[in-house]
Amino acid sequence: MTKSRAGLTELEGAILGVLVRAPSATAYRVRRVFQESRSAEWSGSAGAVYPAIRRLVTDRLIKERAEADARGTHTYDLTRAGKDAYERWLCDVTRAVGPGVDPFRTRAPLWAGLSPATQRKLAKDLKAELDEQREALTRTLNKLDAGDEITARLHIALLDLRLKWIDDQAR
Amino acid sequence: MTKSRAGLTELEGAILGVLVRAPSATAYRVRRVFQESRSAEWSGSAGAVYPAIRRLVTDRLIKERAEADARGTHTYDLTRAGKDAYERWLCDVTRAVGPGVDPFRTRAPLWAGLSPATQRKLAKDLKAELDEQREALTRTLNKLDAGDEITARLHIALLDLRLKWIDDQAR
DNA sequence: TTACTCATGTAACAAGTTACATGATTTA
DNA sequence: TAAATCATGTAACTTGTTACATGAGTAA
């Protein structure tokens, strides 16, 4: 029964976020949002989204409505309790500010152990990759909706931070 | 048998990193490094570390040596193949630059949907939390070894980036 | 009618989490 | 000798992944 767990997972919170911005969406549509958004940290895999939506229904955070449809289409909307849980998740400053899993920060202290030649090559490769991603993101910027643009701009700022850090290390 | 998987997980890579910096460490000592390092993204739980080390031994990336000891102490060191796999993991620019799971970026585009009053309160709470973490990190800075200091400085830069972003939004 | 998109889901697996359990060694 | 630390590990659970399977509706 998953009896009212402590809090929402990141995916559950993000699903509620999608449902707030796209009311009465199907699970399929929620998946698509994750799949299409280049910023999504999740693959939007069926094996994650369908079970997560099932949990949210079980916990009465969203309500399910069956469409008059032979393929069993269902749409979802937040309940009152769902809106409360969503806002709690969204305003959880401790979690919002937490570092999460950052592969760059995990590796950074270890790079010093590489040979100088390898370090130089790595710095070059990293800059190339960062520049490429920065350009790709910048190009899409004007094609994005407001929400995705915020995510993209934050991502660009992070890339810039890393570029600057690599330059500082080289000096 | 976990037959030579595609690549190392982040935890496996980080474990090799600990073993490089602290040769012939025990699994217990590796755990402690994760538990003590305030930057660690993992809890250093036994249920994660022991199985991961077992996998690394099975894949012959580390070799195990039994100490002459009644409590079954074992120490670990990288094999030649382990050093290669570690360097590949460490220099994997695609993964190093990847965004990982960032709770801040997940939430940022959704904050605009909150009421103006809630947004103002949230901005204040976020700044307070960011400031507090920044100060706490700064205080520890001179007590850290070189590796942890790099991680901490990267973390501080990230906190500053977010503080600046919040200020920019408010304007 | 063929192919694509919409729509739902399961199965096998991977890799973490917390909590529990056990015993040796060291230090106060 | 009592308590803390060192040391190893398992069990139950959570939540993600990829790959597979199925079928309805729509557009070429």
Side-chain angles (χ1 to χ4, degrees):
Chain A
M1 213 284 273
T2 331
K3 46 179 330 202
S4 279
R5 289 148 302 133
L8 300 168
T9 66
E10 288 299 288
L11 177 60
E12 287 165 355
I15 287 173
L16 293 182
V18 171
L19 251 20
V20 165
R21 294 211 273 167
S24 300
T26 61
Y28 179 81
R29 205 157 273 292
V30 171
R31 274 185 71 193
R32 291 288 300 265
V33 170
F34 290 120
Q35 286 174 330
E36 283 165 17
S37 143
R38 60 267 324 84
S39 53
E41 296 146 359
W42 306 279
S43 66
S45 58
V49 172
Y50 284 99
I53 286 184
R54 191 62 34 219
R55 291 195 297 270
L56 292 170
V57 170
T58 302
D59 293 348
R60 300 193 197 288
L61 301 182
I62 57 178
K63 58 175 186 294
E64 188 178 49
R65 193 174 53 223
E67 295 302 294
D69 191 296
R71 56 181 161 180
T73 302
H74 287 85
T75 58
Y76 299 91
D77 282 288
L78 273 70
T79 62
R80 182 66 238 205
K83 283 172 194 157
D84 290 348
Y86 171 62
E87 197 160 316
R88 272 198 305 280
W89 173 82
L90 195 50
C91 296
D92 181 340
V93 287
T94 310
R95 270 176 81 180
V97 162
V101 173
D102 183 343
F104 191 92
R105 209 167 54 243
T106 302
R107 286 167 176 76
L110 302 171
W111 286 331
L114 293 165
S115 76
T118 310
Q119 279 187 53
R120 273 193 300 276
K121 186 187 179 308
L122 177 62
K124 225 183 82 187
D125 291 347
L126 281 170
K127 281 180 73 167
E129 179 73 20
L130 288 164
D131 276 329
E132 198 181 312
Q133 288 200 16
R134 192 191 195 291
E135 244 188 89
L137 265 173
T138 308
R139 266 198 304 275
T140 63
L141 221 44
N142 57 328
K143 297 186 200 78
L144 302 177
D145 68 64
D148 281 344
E149 190 186 326
I150 287 174
T151 313
R153 286 197 187 280
L154 273 167
H155 197 166
I156 289 172
L158 182 62
L159 297 176
D160 285 342
L161 185 64
R162 289 168 173 179
L163 277 165
K164 187 176 166 300
W165 184 81
I166 292 169
D167 277 337
D168 287 352
Q169 295 306 105
R171 248 189 283 123
Chain B
M1 203 306 261
T2 331
K3 46 182 324 208
S4 279
R5 290 147 302 132
L8 301 169
T9 66
E10 288 298 289
L11 178 61
E12 286 166 354
I15 288 173
L16 293 183
V18 171
L19 251 20
V20 165
R21 293 210 274 168
S24 300
T26 61
Y28 179 81
R29 204 157 273 293
V30 171
R31 274 185 71 194
R32 290 290 299 264
V33 170
F34 290 120
Q35 285 174 332
E36 283 166 18
S37 143
R38 60 271 319 85
S39 53
E41 297 146 359
W42 305 278
S43 67
S45 57
V49 173
Y50 283 99
I53 286 184
R54 190 61 33 220
R55 290 195 298 270
L56 293 170
V57 170
T58 303
D59 294 348
R60 301 193 196 288
L61 301 182
I62 57 178
K63 59 175 185 295
E64 188 177 49
R65 192 174 54 222
E67 295 301 294
D69 191 298
R71 54 180 162 182
T73 302
H74 288 85
T75 58
Y76 299 91
D77 282 289
L78 273 70
T79 62
R80 182 65 238 206
K83 284 174 193 157
D84 290 348
Y86 171 62
E87 196 160 315
R88 273 198 304 279
W89 172 82
L90 195 52
C91 296
D92 181 339
V93 286
T94 310
R95 271 176 80 181
V97 163
V101 172
D102 183 343
F104 191 91
R105 209 169 53 244
T106 303
R107 286 168 176 77
L110 301 171
W111 285 331
L114 293 166
S115 76
T118 310
Q119 278 187 55
R120 274 192 299 276
K121 187 187 179 308
L122 177 62
K124 225 182 82 185
D125 291 348
L126 281 170
K127 281 180 72 167
E129 179 73 19
L130 288 164
D131 275 329
E132 198 181 312
Q133 288 201 16
R134 193 191 195 291
E135 243 188 89
L137 265 174
T138 308
R139 265 196 306 275
T140 62
L141 221 44
N142 57 328
K143 297 187 202 75
L144 302 176
D145 67 64
D148 282 343
E149 189 185 326
I150 287 175
T151 313
R153 286 197 188 281
L154 273 167
H155 198 165
I156 289 172
L158 182 62
L159 296 176
D160 286 341
L161 185 64
R162 288 169 174 176
L163 276 165
K164 187 175 164 300
W165 184 82
I166 292 168
D167 278 336
D168 288 351
Q169 296 306 105
R171 249 189 283 124

